[in-house]
Amino acid sequence: MFTRISTTLLAAALAAPFAQAQFNFDIDGKPVQIHSFGSQGFMASDQNNYLTTNTSKGSFDFTDIGGNISMRLTDNFRIGAQIYDREIGQLGAWHPQLDWAVADYRVKDWFGVRGGVVKTVFGLHNDTQDVDFLQTYALLPQSVYPTDLRDALIRHRGGDVYGNVSLGRLGSLAYTGFAGLRVDSLYGGYIYLLHGSGIFMNSYGGLQYGGDLKWTTPIKGLVLGASRMNEDITGKGTYDASIFGGPKDAPYEEHSLSDWANQFYGQYSIGNLTLEAEYRRWYRYQDIFNGFFTVTTDTRTWYADTSYRLSKRFTVGGYYSHFVADWGTAHFYPGNHLYDKVLTLRADLKNYWDVKVEGHFMNGTGGTGIPGGGLLYPDGFYPFNNPAGLKPTTTLLVVKTGFNF
Amino acid sequence: MKRVYCLVLAALAIGSAPAWAADIKVIANSSVGASSVSSDELKGVFLATKSSLSDGSRVEPVLLKSGATHEAFLKDYVGKTESALETYYRSLVFTAKDRCPSLSQATPR
């Protein structure tokens, strides 16, 4: 545990000279840039264990690291790739991922294409959610950006068309259209949740396509946007059928019948003050247990956030995050909602090193289920990490430090 | 291939830039054909959403490292604080959207 912290701090210290020097060089006259980032967190909660870690006893299982290299081959053509790895309890479990590997050709400012493994542009923070130093918060609002379900929308193997169109006096419009394959890690929250039902996935993913429109309005500092995603997902694996007299590794499959998400967002910045709000609805109607059952989950979430940069070194922020796992089920059940009030202080000790201290005051346990019902949709809490039973409220302290160069 | 560089120095305003920002001058390579640049174009160049000017000249942003001129330029033309712009550029780098612009060693005078 302490070795990991020391390693992270050592990495931050070693990063310092690179951060000052900007790690750029040329290969055959082509400019190359190398960047990296990492963070180490500590979480402690008063009651429930959170994010698959033993936070009730205090946990340092909150580490991530990433690095990328990019090269410009011509004025319009760039290539690059990034590796990312993390361990948050059972999430990530130190299995590195090819986070993105992209060839990008910008034909005109209003039209470009990129292909490969591509980060998905969706809302204000989807494609940057892993990069801790870009965020005011140690944990983004988990209603809209659940870190345990990041695989669901973080990237696709396919391509984008994108561009930025001037609207004259009406500002400008940035658009992205995407299509490709979603391929989930086997170390994500949904797959982990299924373990509790004796289901073990070997693969999970499928076709995913959609788009994002971001309008920079003529009102200085105001950005409005909307995103849409459709997908056709199949999960295959095994399940323990011994309670039905079957084998312990009976084939299991589930697939989506209708699966889509809408997101609407706005951001307003004036001076050192930033206000943000986002709303997401994710609708899933799927066959489960080899088609024996169907299940519908209509998840609706939103948050509102305010942050203020007090000085060059310090930023304060707070948000309210609202999660309802299934809109059609009574919201008052703790296992069908998670309402989170958050306060944060961020200190930028150097331009490459930050520390965040954050308090979460949570009501509910996400989509852990209602009396007589099954598990719905994870959002930080898991029954088998809380064998004594989940309590309806949780107070969580998060301390996190990160570096980048 | 025509490539030119914009860079920001303290001097007099140019083109259609607002009169209230008269202590800012944008300097470009002499091969640039455009005689003026609008505030929106300038903002687009420095936010990496625009890579050419109205005459077709390709441009890349080059920023001063720091200083009052630098901060005034960002506030008046780019609409971001220095820290917000730094975060913005890094978000481009870490999502494969673009690269970090160069920093000029030049000092305002």
Side-chain angles (χ1 to χ4, degrees):
Chain A
M1 176 186 305
F2 292 103
T3 303
R4 184 184 308 136
I5 298 167
S6 303
T7 303
T8 303
L9 294 177
L10 178 63
L14 291 174
F18 295 115
Q20 299 303 318
Q22 293 282 325
F23 206 50
N24 302 336
F25 56 92
D26 286 1
I27 295 178
D28 194 25
K30 314 292 186 192
V32 177
Q33 291 189 344
I34 293 179
H35 296 273
S36 73
F37 62 97
S39 69
Q40 173 65 57
F42 170 79
M43 294 190 285
S45 60
D46 62 341
Q47 301 201 87
N48 299 316
N49 288 319
Y50 187 56
L51 286 175
T52 76
T53 68
N54 291 321
T55 54
S56 58
K57 294 179 180 174
S59 174
F60 285 98
D61 283 348
F62 192 11
T63 312
D64 73 349
I65 194 161
N68 67 57
I69 181 167
S70 61
M71 182 176 185
R72 190 175 64 191
L73 298 176
T74 72
D75 282 343
N76 296 337
F77 187 48
R78 293 178 301 106
I79 57 172
Q82 178 165 291
I83 298 291
Y84 178 74
D85 202 359
R86 71 173 183 170
E87 186 208 38
I88 307 175
Q90 303 299 315
L91 306 172
W94 290 126
H95 285 74
Q97 300 179 346
L98 181 61
D99 201 26
W100 50 261
V102 171
D104 184 318
Y105 187 70
R106 188 190 290 195
V107 183
K108 296 283 185 184
D109 293 329
W110 54 268
F111 182 75
V113 292
R114 60 174 78 98
V117 180
V118 187
K119 282 270 191 169
T120 304
V121 177
F122 204 87
L124 288 173
H125 302 296
N126 189 62
D127 54 347
T128 60
Q129 62 181 283
D130 296 327
V131 191
D132 179 72
F133 69 89
L134 295 177
Q135 319 296 347
T136 299
Y137 303 99
L139 284 169
L140 281 170
Q142 295 295 290
S143 55
V144 174
Y145 298 109
T147 193
D148 40 353
L149 297 179
R150 67 182 282 281
D151 287 340
L153 199 53
I154 195 72
R155 69 177 79 85
H156 51 280
R157 298 180 184 180
D160 288 5
V161 293
Y162 69 93
N164 197 284
V165 180
S166 173
L167 302 177
R169 291 181 178 176
L170 295 177
S172 64
L173 188 68
Y175 72 89
T176 304
F178 64 89
L181 281 178
R182 163 185 166 183
V183 181
D184 283 25
S185 153
L186 298 180
Y187 304 94
Y190 181 64
I191 287 173
Y192 182 64
L193 181 81
L194 295 179
H195 290 179
S197 301
I199 298 168
F200 299 89
M201 290 292 188
N202 299 322
S203 66
Y204 198 86
L207 176 66
Q208 192 173 61
Y209 59 93
D212 177 90
L213 288 174
K214 189 174 294 179
W215 178 32
T216 301
T217 72
I219 300 171
K220 191 174 180 182
L222 179 63
V223 172
L224 301 173
S227 309
R228 167 77 182 189
M229 180 278 294
N230 284 66
E231 62 181 357
D232 184 7
I233 300 302
T234 299
K236 291 184 177 178
T238 61
Y239 78 106
D240 183 353
S242 58
I243 58 171
F244 308 116
K248 283 198 168 187
D249 57 350
Y252 176 87
E253 181 175 330
E254 64 179 48
H255 62 265
S256 52
L257 300 170
S258 176
D259 194 327
W260 52 263
N262 287 335
Q263 192 155 320
F264 302 95
Y265 55 92
Q267 182 186 60
Y268 180 64
S269 301
I270 180 168
N272 292 324
L273 177 69
T274 300
L275 308 172
E276 291 179 356
E278 292 194 82
Y279 168 84
R280 175 186 285 183
R281 180 182 179 191
W282 196 314
Y283 181 86
R284 302 171 75 206
Y285 172 45
Q286 56 181 338
D287 267 341
I288 60 173
F289 273 97
N290 302 320
F292 282 114
F293 306 102
T294 59
V295 62
T296 301
T297 313
D298 186 1
T299 304
R300 303 192 194 188
T301 63
W302 62 272
Y303 74 86
D305 147 36
T306 304
S307 63
Y308 187 79
R309 193 171 181 98
L310 297 168
S311 66
K312 185 179 178 183
R313 298 287 181 218
F314 294 100
T315 303
V316 292
Y319 64 76
Y320 173 72
S321 168
H322 191 96
F323 171 92
V324 176
D326 185 53
W327 193 256
T329 302
H331 297 187
F332 62 82
Y333 288 115
N336 191 36
H337 72 253
L338 181 54
Y339 310 143
D340 191 9
K341 298 168 188 165
V342 176
L343 287 172
T344 290
L345 173 66
R346 170 177 171 149
D348 288 279
L349 304 177
K350 300 285 184 183
N351 66 350
Y352 55 85
W353 183 20
D354 66 73
V355 176
K356 301 168 185 176
V357 180
E358 188 166 290
H360 289 249
F361 304 91
M362 295 186 267
N363 179 315
T365 56
T368 49
I370 62 172
L375 300 171
L376 295 169
Y377 205 72
D379 192 29
F381 295 101
Y382 295 81
F384 33 97
N385 289 126
N386 293 277
L390 283 157
K391 309 293 190 299
T393 61
T394 306
T395 300
L396 176 75
L397 169 71
V398 184
V399 181
K400 198 174 186 185
T401 184
F403 76 91
N404 71 91
F405 75 86
Chain B
M1 182 189 311
K2 186 161 65 172
R3 181 189 298 172
V4 298
Y5 296 91
C6 290
L7 92 102
V8 186
L9 292 175
L12 299 173
I14 65 163
S16 56
W20 40 264
D23 56 343
I24 301 289
K25 187 171 187 177
V26 176
I27 298 174
N29 188 287
S30 59
S31 63
V32 173
S35 58
S36 67
V37 56
S38 71
S39 297
D40 283 346
E41 278 184 304
L42 207 50
K43 183 177 180 179
V45 168
F46 281 88
L47 292 182
T49 59
K50 202 161 185 55
S51 57
S52 59
L53 300 180
S54 54
D55 72 326
S57 302
R58 182 173 177 78
V59 291
E60 286 184 22
V62 178
L63 286 160
L64 290 175
K65 277 189 169 176
S66 59
T69 305
H70 173 63
E71 290 174 12
F73 175 77
L74 297 185
K75 181 183 174 189
D76 295 339
Y77 290 91
V78 184
K80 288 186 182 291
T81 62
E82 187 175 4
S83 63
L85 186 67
E86 190 174 344
T87 299
Y88 176 80
Y89 283 143
R90 289 176 177 182
S91 72
L92 298 179
V93 167
F94 283 95
T95 57
K97 303 296 187 300
D98 215 320
R99 13 187 346 266
C100 268
S102 303
L103 297 176
S104 168
Q105 301 290 343
T107 52
R109 55 192 167 88

